Amino acid sequence: MDIIFHSAGANPELWQNALQQAMPEANMRIWHEGDTAPADYALVWKPPAAMLRGRTDLKAIFNLGAGVDAILQLGDALPAGVPVIRLDDAGMGVQMAEFVAHAVLRYFRRLDDYARQNQQQVWRFLTPYEKKDFSIGVLGLGVLGNRIIDALRGFDFPLNGWSRTQKSVTCVNCYAGHDQLDQFLKASKVLVVILPLTTETENLLDREKLALLPKGAYLINVARGAHLIENDLLDLIQEGHIAGATLDVFREEPLAPTHPFWQEPRITLTPHISALTMRDESARQIAAKIQALQAGQAIAGLVDQSRGY
Ligand code: NAP
Ligand code: GLV
């Protein structure tokens, strides 16, 4: 079995080893410009169009991440009829749960306010926030959204969730579709974004939508930067409507040194690290899925290309 590999920024030898362990029978080669030799599968993260154009020999394309926006943006360069398969958790769920729970608790327990007091050697009690006023709204109730909710449930926060199709999740007020988005936002003091980037979710969080959040709301974006109109968030923070944000993703990455987010102390920035692809776990998941495909069995994580995720 021949596998071609491309992952922007990753060490291909380490992937080769992980894959060899998980699938000793596979012959993986690093794809180079001009390589049109036959292959059964492609393993990719942000692949160049030339790698996949016309490759109808592939049985499947495996995305080395959960979000498939970079692959689907290739449009016509994607070989028609070849399934695209995303990673299903593969070690990302627990990282997302850690990252979001940390950001929520930092805001809820006023730890940033105390850190500012520390810098000035101020010993002052701050009025705690009340949990009943602290509903957390999770935009996206998929694989990762559910892991985040499982973690937050343990802290007894009131929870809201929003998805495209109606869901029923224990202890969560579930909202669905655009008709219920405003209601969901009005009810959510902390907004966690864990949606895929699609034509429907791009630019979703503009001034009008963010202003529906209650005064003193907090935003945590761990999905994609293009969900958010960045200047609208900055304006609402500076006007005092939104208290702050933890942002892991941006419209342009790396974030430009001149970007105003760097100068806003109420925004905590991280460089797209909330959930990293775990090499060994992902290689094992992909190997199991290839085995299932070879045996003609159904697998999870098949992307609906018309839906965009
Ligand atoms: P997933 O399992 O496909 O779940 C997506 C969720 O979003 C589903 O609940 C889906 O609704 C909902 N959704 C999609 N379009 C919607 C719309 N138009 N309106 C309302 N809800 C909509 O995806 P996942 O594995 O949880 O991953 C989510 C995203 O996280 C990825 O696409 C990626 O962009 C991002 N991510 C970021 C990092 C990072 O390090 N920052 C790491 C991994 C992933 P239904 O349930 O009704 O289909
Ligand atoms: C990372 O951003 C992913 O989509 O897996």
Side-chain angles (χ1 to χ4, degrees), residues 89-146:
D89 192 324
M92 285 186 278
V94 68
Q95 298 176 69
M96 275 300 179
E98 291 160 0
F99 188 95
V100 172
H102 176 265
V104 167
L105 295 175
R106 229 184 50 236
Y107 181 47
F108 176 63
R109 297 304 306 267
R110 309 199 61 172
L111 295 177
D112 288 341
D113 295 333
Y114 282 112
R116 276 188 282 277
Q117 288 194 173
N118 287 181
Q119 282 168 356
Q120 289 151 13
Q121 292 188 237
V122 172
W123 178 279
R124 187 190 306 136
F125 174 88
L126 299 172
T127 308
Y129 295 135
E130 289 204 44
K131 213 159 244 178
K132 68 174 173 46
D133 305 328
F134 224 87
S135 290
I136 300 173
V138 179
L139 281 172
L141 291 175
V143 173
L144 301 177
N146 271 291

Side-chain angles (χ1 to χ4, degrees), residues 149-215:
I149 286 201
D150 288 345
L152 295 176
R153 204 186 276 115
F155 297 110
D156 298 342
F157 289 109
L159 296 170
N160 302 318
W162 186 69
S163 50
R164 197 176 51 81
T165 55
Q166 187 65 49
K167 296 279 181 289
S168 166
V169 184
T170 310
C171 301
V172 179
N173 300 312
C174 290
Y175 298 78
H178 278 263
D179 290 351
Q180 294 182 11
L181 179 59
D182 292 4
Q183 215 184 329
F184 163 89
L185 292 169
K186 286 177 190 167
S188 301
K189 177 89 171 189
V190 176
L191 183 65
V192 178
V193 191
I194 185 67
L195 289 166
L197 182 64
T198 68
T199 47
E200 283 186 23
T201 64
E202 187 168 7
N203 303 325
L204 183 73
L205 297 174
D206 58 7
R207 185 181 174 96
E208 187 204 325
K209 292 294 177 212
L210 292 169
L212 294 174
L213 296 166
K215 189 168 165 57

Side-chain angles (χ1 to χ4, degrees), residues 280-302:
D280 292 341
E281 207 160 337
S282 303
R284 283 196 296 274
Q285 183 176 109
I286 291 167
K289 286 184 177 179
I290 288 180
Q291 265 179 1
L293 287 176
Q294 296 282 99
Q297 295 160 359
I299 56 164
L302 192 60

